Amino acid sequence: MSTLDATRAELALVVLYLNKAEARDKICRAIQYGSKFLSDGQPGTAQNVDKSTSLARKVFRLFKFVNDLHGLISPVPQGTPVPLVLLGKSKNALLSTFLFLDQIVWLGRTGIYKNKERAELIGRISLFCWMGSSICTTLVELGELGRLSASMKKLEKRLKDSDKYKNEEYRAKLQNSNERTLALVKAGMDIVVAVGLLQLAPKKVTPRVTGAFGFVSSLISCYQLLPSPPKSKTP
């Protein structure tokens, strides 16, 4: 493959990535929380960027609640323990509620919805829903990682006389474990961000701490949305 072909392929991946509304939302989220970290809650250019980006992001999330509503009514894989099923469905319900209420917050911020006090109250309720969904995600990922760990140990015993990293099933489980570990870290960070936005512990979770955790969480989200590179053809 020539240098031009390689560059064209890489640009195609970038275009594919930026065509996703979710990817653009997460990039804006990184800008938002990066600005929050820089402003530390103080008036100025960084705080203005934080607020304007926060409002702009809400457009990307219009009707997004339908995704988790669909997940709520979709069947789960067979063999999934009931506690994990309930936690997963609770996550879908809470996240869908957050995204739905967030649209009312957007209407209030744009001046379409005139009752500012009620809009602020709805905003706080939506953030509590988001924090609840992040807690459910954390518990689900912990449970799934436990199941994966047990499954990988059984597979290791079967493959003790061979190189486990050459086994396709083991590599798939290992990749799944890495992805779930990253999702667990992100969910834990999102809980801290929610605590900061709700000001539940203002002395410990300051705007700068909220911004730092939100920025790293956003970078993780951007990484999770990266398209898979095309597989090279074997001669």
Side-chain angles (χ1 to χ4, degrees):
M1 182 182 286
S2 66
T3 305
L4 182 60
D5 289 336
T7 304
R8 190 181 294 118
E10 289 172 358
L11 283 175
L13 286 176
V14 172
V15 171
L16 178 66
Y17 183 73
L18 294 178
N19 277 341
K20 298 179 181 178
E22 183 77 7
R24 295 197 299 274
D25 174 48
K26 298 310 178 187
I27 292 171
C28 289
R29 187 177 191 261
I31 295 170
Q32 175 192 346
Y33 283 105
S35 301
K36 187 180 287 293
F37 172 79
L38 293 174
S39 71
D40 195 20
Q42 302 301 317
T45 303
Q47 190 181 66
N48 292 339
V49 173
D50 173 15
K51 291 181 177 179
S52 61
T53 310
S54 174
L55 183 61
R57 285 185 59 222
K58 296 187 185 302
V59 178
F60 291 114
R61 299 202 294 260
L62 288 175
F63 301 107
K64 192 180 171 184
F65 68 92
V66 176
N67 294 351
D68 281 278
L69 198 59
H70 180 263
L72 181 63
I73 61 176
S74 297
V76 297
Q78 288 186 350
T80 306
V82 175
L84 290 182
V85 172
L86 293 176
L87 283 169
K89 296 302 182 183
S90 297
K91 181 203 79 169
N92 291 135
L94 287 166
L95 193 55
S96 182
T97 303
F98 158 68
L99 292 168
F100 176 76
L101 294 178
D102 197 53
Q103 295 182 138
I104 301 175
V105 176
W106 174 70
L107 292 173
R109 297 270 178 88
T110 55
I112 298 173
Y113 184 69
K114 303 297 183 182
N115 194 328
K116 290 186 178 181
E117 290 184 3
R118 184 165 292 179
E120 289 296 324
L121 176 62
I122 291 172
R124 282 189 66 81
I125 294 171
S126 71
L127 285 174
F128 272 112
C129 289
W130 180 53
M131 184 171 70
S133 73
S134 298
I135 292 171
C136 289
T137 301
T138 301
L139 295 174
V140 168
E141 296 303 338
L142 282 171
E144 291 292 356
L145 281 170
R147 294 176 68 208
L148 259 177
S149 178
S151 175
M152 289 173 72
K153 285 179 181 177
K154 288 181 181 179
L155 187 57
E156 283 175 3
K157 288 181 180 179
R158 294 209 322 260
L159 301 172
K160 60 182 179 180
D161 296 328
S162 59
D163 187 355
K164 60 186 179 183
Y165 295 107
K166 290 182 179 179
N167 182 273
E168 188 175 343
E169 184 183 354
Y170 184 85
R171 290 203 310 270
K173 288 180 181 294
L174 184 61
Q175 183 180 354
N176 191 7
S177 177
N178 291 337
E179 290 172 354
R180 288 195 175 279
T181 300
L182 192 62
L184 175 63
V185 172
K186 179 187 175 299
M189 287 187 163
D190 283 341
I191 293 171
V192 177
V193 174
V195 169
L197 294 175
L198 288 164
Q199 296 184 333
L200 299 179
K203 292 184 178 180
K204 293 184 178 179
V205 187
T206 62
R208 178 152 287 171
V209 172
T210 304
F213 275 78
F215 180 73
V216 176
S217 170
S218 302
L219 292 182
I220 293 174
S221 294
C222 290
Y223 172 77
Q224 290 172 323
L225 291 168
L226 285 173
S228 300
K231 294 182 180 180
S232 58
K233 296 181 179 179
T234 55

